Amino acid sequence: MTASIALPHVIRVGSGASAELAGTLDSFGLSRPLVVTDPFVAGQPFFQEILDLLKKAGLSPGVFTETVPDPTTAVVDEALRALREGGFDSLVAVGGGSPIDTAKAVALLGAHGGRIRDYRAPVVTDAPALPVVAVPTTAGSGSECTRYSIVTDAETGEKMFCTGLAMLPRAALVDFELTMGMPRRLTADTGVHALTHAIEAFVSARANPVSDGLAREAMRTIFAHLRTVYADPGDREAREAVMVGATQAGMAFSNSGVALVHGMSRPVSAHFGVAHGLANAMLLPAVTEFSVPSAPARYADCARAMGLAASDSTDGEATGALVWELRLLYQELEVPTPRGYGIEAERWWELAPLMAEQALASGSPADNPRVPTAEEIVELYHYVYG
Ligand SMILES: NC(=O)c1ccc[n+]([C@@H]2O[C@H](COP(=O)([O-])OP(=O)(O)OC[C@H]3O[C@@H](n4cnc5c(N)ncnc54)[C@H](O)[C@@H]3O)[C@@H](O)[C@H]2O)c1
Ligand SMILES: [Fe+2]
């Protein structure tokens, strides 16, 4: 079996990378970008600086600031209108995974026409879309380096998963300085989300030697620094490490896949409005514990990569340490359970069978080391409720 690896043409990493936007666009012959962001990011001083630098370089960017968390078709349509009216040649996404996914969807429709529904999985769109330069401001989604975009149908609530090289940004500017102001809750949830990407990329049935290397390094880096950024948000070294780790995790799962945690988290976001990062965070330890018996050697390697077990430890010792340490991490990061988040027990029980069906339909659980039945997924939902 062969693996097909794809990454952005350019990834600029480090303090000040976002200031290289004008030069990056110029290197691709682009001069009329539509900058896509959300209202919060639009109000940040760093956003104004990015725009000022573009203008100083003689570019005339347009700005669309109305993206929403977990983007919807309505917002994509609105941004698409702005793209067409302004005659832009490219998109720049500044923000977390939501603005980045919005820009990718707009780039797709801008080049190929139609509606997002036409491109949802199992359709794979490899023909190039408009170029996207992604400038992440969270250390979480990894979307700056992935071939995916997830858009919710504003009418049906369905989360549509679009995949293919059309969704892969042309360039990513990974500047941890933009994450320095993230509040603690967002830092924890996006950080655990990135750790989930790395672990799932590693245990996925579609893992390969290239994604393994990226996933191992991402697990090591994120795990080593996540407690520090939570306890001390101003720690620059730790912020940089988690940011780079999140991007590596994105590269890993874009070239491998995600598994049961993501399969189960999407319905939780769709039905209860829980942010994607947090919904994954709620599920990771329980799903890991459930899955370990089917791939003890792979999970033991995760534990070793994260420094939780010695290189000569047995798989049993290492997987035991992994499950234990993930639970400890959760306590320290104060990750809420669905109950702690305020979700009503009755509603959770009532929707669990439907969520299990939707999780299975997404296809992600099929790549999990232990492929669950619908009943087992329902049991897991009950178990994590808290
Ligand atoms: N395409 C992919 O490969 C992929 C992978 C994982 C997740 N996603 C998608 O990404 C989205 C989640 O992305 P996310 O977790 O990065 O969050 P997000 O983009 O939804 O943003 C969450 C919140 O954080 C705020 N925020 C962003 N940057 C900030 C900063 N520097 N300081 C303070 N606040 C800041 C935003 O304004 C928003 O309120 C979901 O829509 C999910 O479906 C996509
Ligand atoms: Fe994710």
Side-chain angles (χ1 to χ4, degrees), residues 73 76-77 80 84 105 108-126 149 151-153 156 158-164 166-167:
T73 43
V76 169
D77 289 344
L80 182 62
R84 292 199 168 128
L108 175 72
L109 298 185
H112 297 295
R115 295 160 23 149
I116 285 296
R117 175 158 292 284
D118 307 330
Y119 300 96
R120 71 196 201 280
V123 173
V124 176
T125 312
D126 281 339
S149 172
V151 178
T152 303
D153 189 318
T156 64
E158 183 192 355
K159 269 188 168 258
M160 297 181 288
F161 187 60
C162 303
T163 177
M167 256 59 63

PDB file of all heavy atoms in Angstrom, residues 73 76-77 80 84 105 108-126 149 151-153 156 158-164 166-167:
ATOM      1  N   THR A  73     -22.866  27.261   5.949  1.00  0.00           N
ATOM      2  CA  THR A  73     -23.010  27.559   4.517  1.00  0.00           C
ATOM      3  C   THR A  73     -23.437  29.011   4.321  1.00  0.00           C
ATOM      4  O   THR A  73     -23.060  29.639   3.333  1.00  0.00           O
ATOM      5  CB  THR A  73     -24.050  26.618   3.887  1.00  0.00           C
ATOM      6  OG1 THR A  73     -25.173  26.513   4.769  1.00  0.00           O
ATOM      7  CG2 THR A  73     -23.478  25.239   3.633  1.00  0.00           C
ATOM      8  N   VAL A  76     -20.361  31.098   4.430  1.00  0.00           N
ATOM      9  CA  VAL A  76     -19.537  30.826   3.241  1.00  0.00           C
ATOM     10  C   VAL A  76     -20.139  31.564   2.034  1.00  0.00           C
ATOM     11  O   VAL A  76     -19.415  32.193   1.252  1.00  0.00           O
ATOM     12  CB  VAL A  76     -19.425  29.306   2.979  1.00  0.00           C
ATOM     13  CG1 VAL A  76     -18.809  29.029   1.608  1.00  0.00           C
ATOM     14  CG2 VAL A  76     -18.606  28.642   4.075  1.00  0.00           C
ATOM     15  N   ASP A  77     -21.473  31.523   1.906  1.00  0.00           N
ATOM     16  CA  ASP A  77     -22.133  32.202   0.773  1.00  0.00           C
ATOM     17  C   ASP A  77     -21.888  33.715   0.812  1.00  0.00           C
ATOM     18  O   ASP A  77     -21.643  34.345  -0.210  1.00  0.00           O
ATOM     19  CB  ASP A  77     -23.643  31.931   0.782  1.00  0.00           C
ATOM     20  CG  ASP A  77     -23.943  30.486   0.397  1.00  0.00           C
ATOM     21  OD1 ASP A  77     -23.036  29.830  -0.160  1.00  0.00           O
ATOM     22  OD2 ASP A  77     -25.061  30.013   0.669  1.00  0.00           O
ATOM     23  N   LEU A  80     -18.377  34.402  -0.147  1.00  0.00           N
ATOM     24  CA  LEU A  80     -18.219  34.139  -1.581  1.00  0.00           C
ATOM     25  C   LEU A  80     -18.702  35.344  -2.390  1.00  0.00           C
ATOM     26  O   LEU A  80     -18.084  35.741  -3.384  1.00  0.00           O
ATOM     27  CB  LEU A  80     -19.012  32.881  -1.959  1.00  0.00           C
ATOM     28  CG  LEU A  80     -18.921  32.418  -3.407  1.00  0.00           C
ATOM     29  CD1 LEU A  80     -17.484  32.040  -3.769  1.00  0.00           C
ATOM     30  CD2 LEU A  80     -19.852  31.211  -3.645  1.00  0.00           C
ATOM     31  N   ARG A  84     -16.519  37.559  -5.043  1.00  0.00           N
ATOM     32  CA  ARG A  84     -16.887  37.805  -6.448  1.00  0.00           C
ATOM     33  C   ARG A  84     -17.027  39.289  -6.728  1.00  0.00           C
ATOM     34  O   ARG A  84     -16.571  39.771  -7.765  1.00  0.00           O
ATOM     35  CB  ARG A  84     -18.186  37.062  -6.776  1.00  0.00           C
ATOM     36  CG  ARG A  84     -17.962  35.548  -6.749  1.00  0.00           C
ATOM     37  CD  ARG A  84     -19.035  34.792  -7.488  1.00  0.00           C
ATOM     38  NE  ARG A  84     -18.638  33.405  -7.692  1.00  0.00           N
ATOM     39  CZ  ARG A  84     -19.374  32.351  -7.373  1.00  0.00           C
ATOM     40  NH1 ARG A  84     -20.565  32.514  -6.840  1.00  0.00           N
ATOM     41  NH2 ARG A  84     -18.930  31.137  -7.618  1.00  0.00           N
ATOM     42  N   ALA A 105     -13.373  26.932   1.975  1.00  0.00           N
ATOM     43  CA  ALA A 105     -14.646  26.638   1.304  1.00  0.00           C
ATOM     44  C   ALA A 105     -14.939  27.703   0.247  1.00  0.00           C
ATOM     45  O   ALA A 105     -15.414  27.395  -0.860  1.00  0.00           O
ATOM     46  CB  ALA A 105     -15.767  26.575   2.342  1.00  0.00           C
ATOM     47  N   LEU A 108     -12.781  27.154  -2.731  1.00  0.00           N
ATOM     48  CA  LEU A 108     -13.281  26.010  -3.507  1.00  0.00           C
ATOM     49  C   LEU A 108     -14.426  26.451  -4.423  1.00  0.00           C
ATOM     50  O   LEU A 108     -14.398  26.218  -5.650  1.00  0.00           O
ATOM     51  CB  LEU A 108     -13.773  24.941  -2.511  1.00  0.00           C
ATOM     52  CG  LEU A 108     -14.454  23.709  -3.085  1.00  0.00           C
ATOM     53  CD1 LEU A 108     -13.419  22.821  -3.775  1.00  0.00           C
ATOM     54  CD2 LEU A 108     -15.150  22.913  -1.973  1.00  0.00           C
ATOM     55  N   LEU A 109     -15.425  27.124  -3.832  1.00  0.00           N
ATOM     56  CA  LEU A 109     -16.590  27.533  -4.631  1.00  0.00           C
ATOM     57  C   LEU A 109     -16.202  28.636  -5.619  1.00  0.00           C
ATOM     58  O   LEU A 109     -16.739  28.694  -6.733  1.00  0.00           O
ATOM     59  CB  LEU A 109     -17.720  28.019  -3.719  1.00  0.00           C
ATOM     60  CG  LEU A 109     -18.283  26.981  -2.745  1.00  0.00           C
ATOM     61  CD1 LEU A 109     -19.468  27.548  -1.977  1.00  0.00           C
ATOM     62  CD2 LEU A 109     -18.703  25.704  -3.467  1.00  0.00           C
ATOM     63  N   GLY A 110     -15.266  29.492  -5.214  1.00  0.00           N
ATOM     64  CA  GLY A 110     -14.822  30.578  -6.102  1.00  0.00           C
ATOM     65  C   GLY A 110     -14.195  30.032  -7.380  1.00  0.00           C
ATOM     66  O   GLY A 110     -14.340  30.615  -8.456  1.00  0.00           O
ATOM     67  N   ALA A 111     -13.522  28.905  -7.269  1.00  0.00           N
ATOM     68  CA  ALA A 111     -12.853  28.332  -8.450  1.00  0.00           C
ATOM     69  C   ALA A 111     -13.753  27.362  -9.207  1.00  0.00           C
ATOM     70  O   ALA A 111     -13.720  27.312 -10.435  1.00  0.00           O
ATOM     71  CB  ALA A 111     -11.584  27.600  -8.007  1.00  0.00           C
ATOM     72  N   HIS A 112     -14.567  26.588  -8.484  1.00  0.00           N
ATOM     73  CA  HIS A 112     -15.290  25.490  -9.141  1.00  0.00           C
ATOM     74  C   HIS A 112     -16.794  25.689  -9.245  1.00  0.00           C
ATOM     75  O   HIS A 112     -17.467  24.907  -9.920  1.00  0.00           O
ATOM     76  CB  HIS A 112     -15.025  24.175  -8.387  1.00  0.00           C
ATOM     77  CG  HIS A 112     -13.580  23.758  -8.416  1.00  0.00           C
ATOM     78  ND1 HIS A 112     -12.928  23.416  -9.577  1.00  0.00           N
ATOM     79  CD2 HIS A 112     -12.653  23.646  -7.432  1.00  0.00           C
ATOM     80  CE1 HIS A 112     -11.666  23.096  -9.298  1.00  0.00           C
ATOM     81  NE2 HIS A 112     -11.469  23.244  -8.007  1.00  0.00           N
ATOM     82  N   GLY A 113     -17.333  26.716  -8.538  1.00  0.00           N
ATOM     83  CA  GLY A 113     -18.777  26.957  -8.580  1.00  0.00           C
ATOM     84  C   GLY A 113     -19.543  25.915  -7.783  1.00  0.00           C
ATOM     85  O   GLY A 113     -18.963  25.073  -7.093  1.00  0.00           O
ATOM     86  N   GLY A 114     -20.885  25.981  -7.862  1.00  0.00           N
ATOM     87  CA  GLY A 114     -21.737  25.028  -7.156  1.00  0.00           C
ATOM     88  C   GLY A 114     -21.919  25.399  -5.699  1.00  0.00           C
ATOM     89  O   GLY A 114     -21.701  26.551  -5.301  1.00  0.00           O
ATOM     90  N   ARG A 115     -22.334  24.397  -4.904  1.00  0.00           N
ATOM     91  CA  ARG A 115     -22.575  24.626  -3.477  1.00  0.00           C
ATOM     92  C   ARG A 115     -21.746  23.637  -2.674  1.00  0.00           C
ATOM     93  O   ARG A 115     -21.350  22.584  -3.181  1.00  0.00           O
ATOM     94  CB  ARG A 115     -24.060  24.419  -3.163  1.00  0.00           C
ATOM     95  CG  ARG A 115     -24.948  25.451  -3.856  1.00  0.00           C
ATOM     96  CD  ARG A 115     -26.386  24.982  -3.944  1.00  0.00           C
ATOM     97  NE  ARG A 115     -26.638  23.990  -2.901  1.00  0.00           N
ATOM     98  CZ  ARG A 115     -27.805  23.808  -2.297  1.00  0.00           C
ATOM     99  NH1 ARG A 115     -28.837  24.506  -2.658  1.00  0.00           N
ATOM    100  NH2 ARG A 115     -27.954  22.902  -1.370  1.00  0.00           N
ATOM    101  N   ILE A 116     -21.499  23.967  -1.413  1.00  0.00           N
ATOM    102  CA  ILE A 116     -20.653  23.106  -0.572  1.00  0.00           C
ATOM    103  C   ILE A 116     -21.158  21.666  -0.569  1.00  0.00           C
ATOM    104  O   ILE A 116     -20.390  20.704  -0.617  1.00  0.00           O
ATOM    105  CB  ILE A 116     -20.596  23.665   0.870  1.00  0.00           C
ATOM    106  CG1 ILE A 116     -19.686  24.893   0.900  1.00  0.00           C
ATOM    107  CG2 ILE A 116     -20.073  22.643   1.863  1.00  0.00           C
ATOM    108  CD1 ILE A 116     -18.241  24.608   0.573  1.00  0.00           C
ATOM    109  N   ARG A 117     -22.488  21.527  -0.526  1.00  0.00           N
ATOM    110  CA  ARG A 117     -23.113  20.191  -0.531  1.00  0.00           C
ATOM    111  C   ARG A 117     -22.556  19.304  -1.656  1.00  0.00           C
ATOM    112  O   ARG A 117     -22.422  18.102  -1.505  1.00  0.00           O
ATOM    113  CB  ARG A 117     -24.624  20.434  -0.691  1.00  0.00           C
ATOM    114  CG  ARG A 117     -25.498  19.252  -0.839  1.00  0.00           C
ATOM    115  CD  ARG A 117     -26.930  19.613  -0.453  1.00  0.00           C
ATOM    116  NE  ARG A 117     -27.028  19.880   0.984  1.00  0.00           N
ATOM    117  CZ  ARG A 117     -27.037  18.933   1.917  1.00  0.00           C
ATOM    118  NH1 ARG A 117     -26.974  17.667   1.571  1.00  0.00           N
ATOM    119  NH2 ARG A 117     -27.114  19.240   3.195  1.00  0.00           N
ATOM    120  N   ASP A 118     -22.246  19.929  -2.820  1.00  0.00           N
ATOM    121  CA  ASP A 118     -21.760  19.146  -3.975  1.00  0.00           C
ATOM    122  C   ASP A 118     -20.379  18.536  -3.718  1.00  0.00           C
ATOM    123  O   ASP A 118     -19.940  17.656  -4.456  1.00  0.00           O
ATOM    124  CB  ASP A 118     -21.635  20.046  -5.223  1.00  0.00           C
ATOM    125  CG  ASP A 118     -22.916  20.799  -5.516  1.00  0.00           C
ATOM    126  OD1 ASP A 118     -23.986  20.256  -5.193  1.00  0.00           O
ATOM    127  OD2 ASP A 118     -22.848  21.931  -6.043  1.00  0.00           O
ATOM    128  N   TYR A 119     -19.672  19.049  -2.717  1.00  0.00           N
ATOM    129  CA  TYR A 119     -18.270  18.636  -2.515  1.00  0.00           C
ATOM    130  C   TYR A 119     -18.079  17.822  -1.251  1.00  0.00           C
ATOM    131  O   TYR A 119     -16.952  17.530  -0.868  1.00  0.00           O
ATOM    132  CB  TYR A 119     -17.382  19.885  -2.453  1.00  0.00           C
ATOM    133  CG  TYR A 119     -17.436  20.708  -3.720  1.00  0.00           C
ATOM    134  CD1 TYR A 119     -18.295  21.798  -3.821  1.00  0.00           C
ATOM    135  CD2 TYR A 119     -16.660  20.374  -4.825  1.00  0.00           C
ATOM    136  CE1 TYR A 119     -18.371  22.542  -4.990  1.00  0.00           C
ATOM    137  CE2 TYR A 119     -16.728  21.105  -5.997  1.00  0.00           C
ATOM    138  CZ  TYR A 119     -17.592  22.193  -6.070  1.00  0.00           C
ATOM    139  OH  TYR A 119     -17.661  22.922  -7.224  1.00  0.00           O
ATOM    140  N   ARG A 120     -19.188  17.492  -0.546  1.00  0.00           N
ATOM    141  CA  ARG A 120     -18.989  16.807   0.735  1.00  0.00           C
ATOM    142  C   ARG A 120     -18.578  15.350   0.497  1.00  0.00           C
ATOM    143  O   ARG A 120     -18.911  14.761  -0.527  1.00  0.00           O
ATOM    144  CB  ARG A 120     -20.223  16.907   1.616  1.00  0.00           C
ATOM    145  CG  ARG A 120     -21.427  16.097   1.199  1.00  0.00           C
ATOM    146  CD  ARG A 120     -22.623  16.657   1.975  1.00  0.00           C
ATOM    147  NE  ARG A 120     -23.726  15.725   2.082  1.00  0.00           N
ATOM    148  CZ  ARG A 120     -24.607  15.502   1.122  1.00  0.00           C
ATOM    149  NH1 ARG A 120     -24.484  16.092  -0.054  1.00  0.00           N
ATOM    150  NH2 ARG A 120     -25.602  14.666   1.316  1.00  0.00           N
ATOM    151  N   ALA A 121     -17.810  14.820   1.473  1.00  0.00           N
ATOM    152  CA  ALA A 121     -17.316  13.446   1.368  1.00  0.00           C
ATOM    153  C   ALA A 121     -18.498  12.505   1.129  1.00  0.00           C
ATOM    154  O   ALA A 121     -19.582  12.765   1.641  1.00  0.00           O
ATOM    155  CB  ALA A 121     -16.593  13.066   2.663  1.00  0.00           C
ATOM    156  N   PRO A 122     -18.332  11.479   0.323  1.00  0.00           N
ATOM    157  CA  PRO A 122     -17.080  10.901  -0.181  1.00  0.00           C
ATOM    158  C   PRO A 122     -16.471  11.569  -1.424  1.00  0.00           C
ATOM    159  O   PRO A 122     -15.488  11.056  -1.951  1.00  0.00           O
ATOM    160  CB  PRO A 122     -17.479   9.460  -0.515  1.00  0.00           C
ATOM    161  CG  PRO A 122     -18.934   9.551  -0.874  1.00  0.00           C
ATOM    162  CD  PRO A 122     -19.508  10.643  -0.016  1.00  0.00           C
ATOM    163  N   VAL A 123     -17.026  12.711  -1.894  1.00  0.00           N
ATOM    164  CA  VAL A 123     -16.392  13.399  -3.033  1.00  0.00           C
ATOM    165  C   VAL A 123     -14.997  13.856  -2.602  1.00  0.00           C
ATOM    166  O   VAL A 123     -14.811  14.349  -1.486  1.00  0.00           O
ATOM    167  CB  VAL A 123     -17.235  14.625  -3.452  1.00  0.00           C
ATOM    168  CG1 VAL A 123     -16.525  15.450  -4.521  1.00  0.00           C
ATOM    169  CG2 VAL A 123     -18.611  14.189  -3.926  1.00  0.00           C
ATOM    170  N   VAL A 124     -14.008  13.689  -3.478  1.00  0.00           N
ATOM    171  CA  VAL A 124     -12.654  14.198  -3.215  1.00  0.00           C
ATOM    172  C   VAL A 124     -12.339  15.190  -4.327  1.00  0.00           C
ATOM    173  O   VAL A 124     -12.431  14.848  -5.506  1.00  0.00           O
ATOM    174  CB  VAL A 124     -11.619  13.050  -3.230  1.00  0.00           C
ATOM    175  CG1 VAL A 124     -10.202  13.601  -3.044  1.00  0.00           C
ATOM    176  CG2 VAL A 124     -11.931  12.029  -2.149  1.00  0.00           C
ATOM    177  N   THR A 125     -11.988  16.434  -3.956  1.00  0.00           N
ATOM    178  CA  THR A 125     -11.713  17.460  -4.963  1.00  0.00           C
ATOM    179  C   THR A 125     -10.224  17.800  -4.939  1.00  0.00           C
ATOM    180  O   THR A 125      -9.747  18.482  -4.033  1.00  0.00           O
ATOM    181  CB  THR A 125     -12.537  18.735  -4.689  1.00  0.00           C
ATOM    182  OG1 THR A 125     -13.887  18.347  -4.451  1.00  0.00           O
ATOM    183  CG2 THR A 125     -12.477  19.686  -5.880  1.00  0.00           C
ATOM    184  N   ASP A 126      -9.509  17.310  -5.924  1.00  0.00           N
ATOM    185  CA  ASP A 126      -8.068  17.570  -5.973  1.00  0.00           C
ATOM    186  C   ASP A 126      -7.722  18.732  -6.913  1.00  0.00           C
ATOM    187  O   ASP A 126      -6.651  19.327  -6.787  1.00  0.00           O
ATOM    188  CB  ASP A 126      -7.319  16.302  -6.418  1.00  0.00           C
ATOM    189  CG  ASP A 126      -7.168  15.300  -5.272  1.00  0.00           C
ATOM    190  OD1 ASP A 126      -7.261  15.728  -4.098  1.00  0.00           O
ATOM    191  OD2 ASP A 126      -6.995  14.108  -5.547  1.00  0.00           O
ATOM    192  N   SER A 149     -11.956  20.790   4.904  1.00  0.00           N
ATOM    193  CA  SER A 149     -12.717  21.937   5.404  1.00  0.00           C
ATOM    194  C   SER A 149     -14.053  21.396   5.880  1.00  0.00           C
ATOM    195  O   SER A 149     -14.646  20.537   5.213  1.00  0.00           O
ATOM    196  CB  SER A 149     -12.920  22.971   4.297  1.00  0.00           C
ATOM    197  OG  SER A 149     -13.818  23.973   4.750  1.00  0.00           O
ATOM    198  N   VAL A 151     -17.852  22.364   7.031  1.00  0.00           N
ATOM    199  CA  VAL A 151     -18.849  23.437   6.981  1.00  0.00           C
ATOM    200  C   VAL A 151     -20.206  22.848   7.361  1.00  0.00           C
ATOM    201  O   VAL A 151     -20.585  21.774   6.894  1.00  0.00           O
ATOM    202  CB  VAL A 151     -18.915  24.054   5.562  1.00  0.00           C
ATOM    203  CG1 VAL A 151     -19.982  25.143   5.503  1.00  0.00           C
ATOM    204  CG2 VAL A 151     -17.559  24.612   5.153  1.00  0.00           C
ATOM    205  N   THR A 152     -20.939  23.572   8.229  1.00  0.00           N
ATOM    206  CA  THR A 152     -22.252  23.094   8.665  1.00  0.00           C
ATOM    207  C   THR A 152     -23.333  23.648   7.750  1.00  0.00           C
ATOM    208  O   THR A 152     -23.353  24.850   7.461  1.00  0.00           O
ATOM    209  CB  THR A 152     -22.514  23.557  10.121  1.00  0.00           C
ATOM    210  OG1 THR A 152     -21.460  23.059  10.948  1.00  0.00           O
ATOM    211  CG2 THR A 152     -23.838  23.033  10.637  1.00  0.00           C
ATOM    212  N   ASP A 153     -24.228  22.768   7.281  1.00  0.00           N
ATOM    213  CA  ASP A 153     -25.353  23.202   6.460  1.00  0.00           C
ATOM    214  C   ASP A 153     -26.280  24.035   7.344  1.00  0.00           C
ATOM    215  O   ASP A 153     -26.802  23.540   8.343  1.00  0.00           O
ATOM    216  CB  ASP A 153     -26.092  21.966   5.919  1.00  0.00           C
ATOM    217  CG  ASP A 153     -27.140  22.353   4.892  1.00  0.00           C
ATOM    218  OD1 ASP A 153     -27.858  23.350   5.116  1.00  0.00           O
ATOM    219  OD2 ASP A 153     -27.238  21.661   3.858  1.00  0.00           O
ATOM    220  N   THR A 156     -29.916  22.258   7.512  1.00  0.00           N
ATOM    221  CA  THR A 156     -30.153  20.936   8.119  1.00  0.00           C
ATOM    222  C   THR A 156     -29.295  20.684   9.358  1.00  0.00           C
ATOM    223  O   THR A 156     -29.520  19.737  10.093  1.00  0.00           O
ATOM    224  CB  THR A 156     -29.818  19.821   7.108  1.00  0.00           C
ATOM    225  OG1 THR A 156     -28.405  19.908   6.823  1.00  0.00           O
ATOM    226  CG2 THR A 156     -30.585  19.990   5.809  1.00  0.00           C
ATOM    227  N   GLU A 158     -26.354  19.649   9.225  1.00  0.00           N
ATOM    228  CA  GLU A 158     -25.370  18.607   8.890  1.00  0.00           C
ATOM    229  C   GLU A 158     -23.963  19.206   8.778  1.00  0.00           C
ATOM    230  O   GLU A 158     -23.770  20.251   8.148  1.00  0.00           O
ATOM    231  CB  GLU A 158     -25.758  17.958   7.549  1.00  0.00           C
ATOM    232  CG  GLU A 158     -24.841  16.824   7.154  1.00  0.00           C
ATOM    233  CD  GLU A 158     -25.056  16.376   5.695  1.00  0.00           C
ATOM    234  OE1 GLU A 158     -25.987  16.885   5.041  1.00  0.00           O
ATOM    235  OE2 GLU A 158     -24.281  15.543   5.233  1.00  0.00           O
ATOM    236  N   LYS A 159     -23.000  18.528   9.414  1.00  0.00           N
ATOM    237  CA  LYS A 159     -21.610  18.974   9.298  1.00  0.00           C
ATOM    238  C   LYS A 159     -21.023  18.316   8.064  1.00  0.00           C
ATOM    239  O   LYS A 159     -20.863  17.096   8.025  1.00  0.00           O
ATOM    240  CB  LYS A 159     -20.811  18.550  10.533  1.00  0.00           C
ATOM    241  CG  LYS A 159     -20.838  19.605  11.613  1.00  0.00           C
ATOM    242  CD  LYS A 159     -19.889  19.277  12.742  1.00  0.00           C
ATOM    243  CE  LYS A 159     -19.710  20.473  13.640  1.00  0.00           C
ATOM    244  NZ  LYS A 159     -18.506  21.225  13.469  1.00  0.00           N
ATOM    245  N   MET A 160     -20.709  19.111   7.061  1.00  0.00           N
ATOM    246  CA  MET A 160     -20.230  18.543   5.794  1.00  0.00           C
ATOM    247  C   MET A 160     -18.714  18.612   5.747  1.00  0.00           C
ATOM    248  O   MET A 160     -18.109  19.659   6.001  1.00  0.00           O
ATOM    249  CB  MET A 160     -20.861  19.308   4.630  1.00  0.00           C
ATOM    250  CG  MET A 160     -22.376  19.157   4.612  1.00  0.00           C
ATOM    251  SD  MET A 160     -23.161  20.004   3.250  1.00  0.00           S
ATOM    252  CE  MET A 160     -22.992  21.707   3.730  1.00  0.00           C
ATOM    253  N   PHE A 161     -18.168  17.474   5.411  1.00  0.00           N
ATOM    254  CA  PHE A 161     -16.735  17.294   5.467  1.00  0.00           C
ATOM    255  C   PHE A 161     -16.239  17.321   4.026  1.00  0.00           C
ATOM    256  O   PHE A 161     -16.605  16.455   3.227  1.00  0.00           O
ATOM    257  CB  PHE A 161     -16.526  15.924   6.117  1.00  0.00           C
ATOM    258  CG  PHE A 161     -15.121  15.590   6.439  1.00  0.00           C
ATOM    259  CD1 PHE A 161     -14.395  16.382   7.297  1.00  0.00           C
ATOM    260  CD2 PHE A 161     -14.528  14.463   5.901  1.00  0.00           C
ATOM    261  CE1 PHE A 161     -13.095  16.062   7.609  1.00  0.00           C
ATOM    262  CE2 PHE A 161     -13.227  14.138   6.209  1.00  0.00           C
ATOM    263  CZ  PHE A 161     -12.510  14.945   7.062  1.00  0.00           C
ATOM    264  N   CYS A 162     -15.447  18.339   3.653  1.00  0.00           N
ATOM    265  CA  CYS A 162     -14.944  18.435   2.275  1.00  0.00           C
ATOM    266  C   CYS A 162     -13.458  18.083   2.296  1.00  0.00           C
ATOM    267  O   CYS A 162     -12.721  18.562   3.160  1.00  0.00           O
ATOM    268  CB  CYS A 162     -15.116  19.841   1.730  1.00  0.00           C
ATOM    269  SG  CYS A 162     -16.816  20.380   1.798  1.00  0.00           S
ATOM    270  N   THR A 163     -13.058  17.282   1.367  1.00  0.00           N
ATOM    271  CA  THR A 163     -11.684  16.808   1.395  1.00  0.00           C
ATOM    272  C   THR A 163     -11.067  16.826  -0.007  1.00  0.00           C
ATOM    273  O   THR A 163     -11.776  16.840  -1.006  1.00  0.00           O
ATOM    274  CB  THR A 163     -11.627  15.392   2.041  1.00  0.00           C
ATOM    275  OG1 THR A 163     -10.296  14.915   1.988  1.00  0.00           O
ATOM    276  CG2 THR A 163     -12.534  14.406   1.347  1.00  0.00           C
ATOM    277  N   GLY A 164      -9.756  16.890  -0.050  1.00  0.00           N
ATOM    278  CA  GLY A 164      -9.040  16.902  -1.322  1.00  0.00           C
ATOM    279  C   GLY A 164      -8.004  18.022  -1.345  1.00  0.00           C
ATOM    280  O   GLY A 164      -7.997  18.917  -0.490  1.00  0.00           O
ATOM    281  N   ALA A 166      -7.751  20.508  -3.131  1.00  0.00           N
ATOM    282  CA  ALA A 166      -8.331  21.845  -3.294  1.00  0.00           C
ATOM    283  C   ALA A 166      -8.424  22.558  -1.948  1.00  0.00           C
ATOM    284  O   ALA A 166      -8.416  23.785  -1.885  1.00  0.00           O
ATOM    285  CB  ALA A 166      -9.715  21.754  -3.934  1.00  0.00           C
ATOM    286  N   MET A 167      -8.508  21.765  -0.873  1.00  0.00           N
ATOM    287  CA  MET A 167      -8.675  22.361   0.465  1.00  0.00           C
ATOM    288  C   MET A 167      -7.331  22.638   1.148  1.00  0.00           C
ATOM    289  O   MET A 167      -7.292  23.154   2.260  1.00  0.00           O
ATOM    290  CB  MET A 167      -9.501  21.414   1.348  1.00  0.00           C
ATOM    291  CG  MET A 167     -10.933  21.819   1.555  1.00  0.00           C
ATOM    292  SD  MET A 167     -11.886  21.975   0.035  1.00  0.00           S
ATOM    293  CE  MET A 167     -11.848  20.293  -0.587  1.00  0.00           C
TER     294      MET A 167
END
